[in-house]
Amino acid sequence: MRIVMLAAVVAVAIPLASQAAEPKSVAEVADYRGADRQAVFEAGAKKEGGLLVYTIGTQSDPMLDVYQKKYPFVRLEIFRAPTPELTRRVLEEYKADRKIVDVLDMSTGGLQAMRDARYLQTYYTPEMSAYPANAMEPNKLWVFDYEAFVSLGYNTDAVSTVDSPKTYDDLLNPKWKGRMAVSDNGSTLPHWVGGVLLTKGEDFLKKLGQQDVKVFNVLGRALSNLVVSGEVPMSPSIYNSHMRNSKGKGAHVDWHALGPVYSNVNALAIAKGAPHPFASMLYIDYTLSHEGQRSEEHTSELQSRFGISYAVFCL
């Protein structure tokens, strides 16, 4: 009789203990390490039903599409803006106690401001084991998910690969006068200028300014589209990921580094007050996984392919 009673107590205790260990708060979900992690996260995400991601560009669109198909029960919402605008938005929202954002996929400069304000949540994902220590914030507040490089993008119908500039100095050739453009919307232009300044110096920038470089008040993707259409023959401040994506779809464009280039590093973070922590961790787990990285326009391999060295790289 005692054995039967003991067995009954154990049978009741096991599911109760399991239920008690189930994560509930954002911090508990973000640090959950149970063997049933995937099942727990999927069940939680189904109850939540949504996910709001703040991001800065279109590089992650292929991964977002696959994620939505993989988890159709999550209503995925995306808000895009340049890093300064996203940073200001989150800081203002949290000051107003309006905690609506779940995941932040953006430049580390903006994440640093949110870290200082203590609006980010430390998290764990088993995918971290595949990343070097310097690809993660020391307190595990974010992990790099992609990097994009800024240098020469050009329309191959307007500028042949043979004739295209190969170095920064080649941009000063009189034949390129009036045929280049840059974008002044967002943070790309000042970062690119800073990288060139470190590499070539102030005198070079002054000479480049005499090349009648057109300035468009559009974001980087929009400027890339102008290169794709041929309206802009070439631009020395184009993201390689944009050119790579367009070329893959049949556009007559190409890209190469003119020397040391500016690297824009994006990282994944979860907001401390994320309304959908289960869906957030599903997103982070998938994005940082081998499958997610293969579907994203990530460009880590380009450093070795094009011999790129960094002019700017920040953690």
Side-chain angles (χ1 to χ4, degrees), residues 207-285:
K207 293 176 182 177
L208 185 61
Q210 297 172 5
Q211 286 287 72
D212 294 338
V213 179
K214 296 181 176 65
V215 179
F216 288 87
N217 185 27
V218 296
L219 292 173
R221 177 69 259 188
L223 179 61
S224 296
N225 290 341
L226 293 177
V227 174
V228 169
S229 69
E231 184 175 341
V232 171
M234 68 181 191
S235 170
S237 63
I238 290 288
Y239 284 107
N240 65 304
S241 54
H242 290 160
M243 292 291 94
R244 183 184 185 193
N245 180 253
S246 296
K247 185 176 181 179
K249 294 177 180 178
H252 295 182
V253 295
D254 213 338
W255 183 97
H256 56 249
L258 296 172
V261 301
Y262 163 69
S263 171
N264 183 50
V265 184
N266 258 41
L268 278 173
I270 179 173
K272 208 161 195 175
H276 310 104
F278 290 101
S280 297
M281 289 311 300
L282 275 183
Y283 180 89
I284 288 173
D285 280 359

Side-chain angles (χ1 to χ4, degrees), residues 104 111-112 114-116 118-124 128 136-143 267-272 284:
L104 299 147
L111 292 177
Q112 288 173 0
M114 296 173 204
R115 175 185 62 188
D116 295 344
R118 299 187 177 182
Y119 294 160
L120 300 181
Q121 175 63 53
T122 298
Y123 66 85
Y124 162 80
M128 285 177 171
M136 294 178 273
E137 196 273 341
N139 296 310
K140 305 300 187 292
L141 289 170
W142 62 73
V143 180
L268 278 173
I270 179 173
K272 208 161 195 175
I284 288 173

Side-chain angles (χ1 to χ4, degrees), residues 148-197:
F149 303 98
V150 179
S151 199
L152 185 76
Y154 58 99
N155 185 297
T156 54
D157 291 331
V159 179
S160 71
T161 300
V162 174
D163 290 337
S164 65
K166 303 300 187 297
T167 67
Y168 285 110
D169 289 331
D170 290 343
L171 297 176
L172 303 182
N173 191 312
K175 70 179 179 180
W176 304 126
K177 188 170 185 176
R179 302 189 67 192
M180 292 180 281
V182 294
S183 162
D184 73 343
N185 193 314
S187 57
T188 300
L189 183 59
H191 287 157
W192 176 77
V193 170
V196 175
L197 182 63

